[in-house]
Amino acid sequence: MPLTVEERDQLLAEPHVAVLAVESGSGRAPLAVPVWYSYRPGGDFLVFTGRTSRKARLIEAAGRFSLVVQRTSPTYRYVMAEGPAKLVPVTAEDVEEVAGRYVSPEGVAEYVRQALSEGGDEMAAVLLTPDHWLSADAGPS
């Protein structure tokens, strides 16, 4: 059974690791990699990648990608979002928004500092604007 918008947003607010999938062309399967993400209900997903990484090049070439987020504890649920994407400069606020979902509150500032000092010039923020959704709840009704 599909999730309601409220159930979907609740699942996406939980700190699950997403799988990003993007067309890789040349007769190969799509590139599918785990990523941390942030979701702004009614808006965009935010993920990071290396500015010159294969993932960034493929996203730029395809102009879109999919993210799948799943919860495996009862009840099993998943959400897939697909849509156009764009790479934008990364900001400290962006890194804090995403890291704040996965890093302990006392460790976020240090994580942001390290991420920006060690690779900030090499990082890109990627915004996914969902235009297609798929979701399910496989639990008891």
Side-chain angles (χ1 to χ4, degrees):
M1 169 168 290
L3 301 176
T4 66
V5 171
E6 293 78 20
E7 290 170 330
R8 180 186 76 199
D9 288 350
Q10 180 182 9
L11 176 65
L12 294 173
E14 298 168 2
H16 302 288
V17 173
V19 174
L20 181 154
V22 61
E23 176 62 43
S24 63
S26 303
R28 294 183 64 183
L31 173 70
V33 294
V35 293
W36 286 359
Y37 73 93
S38 177
Y39 173 64
R40 301 160 183 162
D44 296 329
F45 284 87
L46 171 66
V47 300
F48 300 111
T49 190
R51 187 178 303 149
T52 60
S53 68
R54 179 171 181 242
K55 180 173 32 174
R57 292 190 314 270
L58 291 172
I59 290 169
E60 285 185 309
R64 63 190 302 113
F65 66 91
S66 298
L67 275 180
V68 176
V69 175
Q70 68 175 344
R71 180 177 70 197
T72 57
S73 59
T75 66
Y76 174 77
R77 290 180 169 187
Y78 72 86
V79 172
M80 186 280 304
E82 174 191 349
K86 63 182 176 181
L87 277 73
V88 297
V90 68
T91 66
E93 292 79 17
D94 291 338
V95 177
E96 184 174 343
E97 179 181 331
V98 174
R101 294 170 45 83
Y102 300 94
V103 177
S104 67
E106 54 278 351
V108 171
E110 178 62 18
Y111 182 92
V112 171
R113 187 194 66 72
Q114 274 191 322
L116 294 176
S117 68
E118 294 175 5
D121 292 341
E122 302 299 320
M123 290 174 60
V126 184
L127 297 175
L128 166 69
T129 304
D131 63 7
H132 181 73
W133 295 94
L134 182 64
S135 66
D137 181 346
S141 51

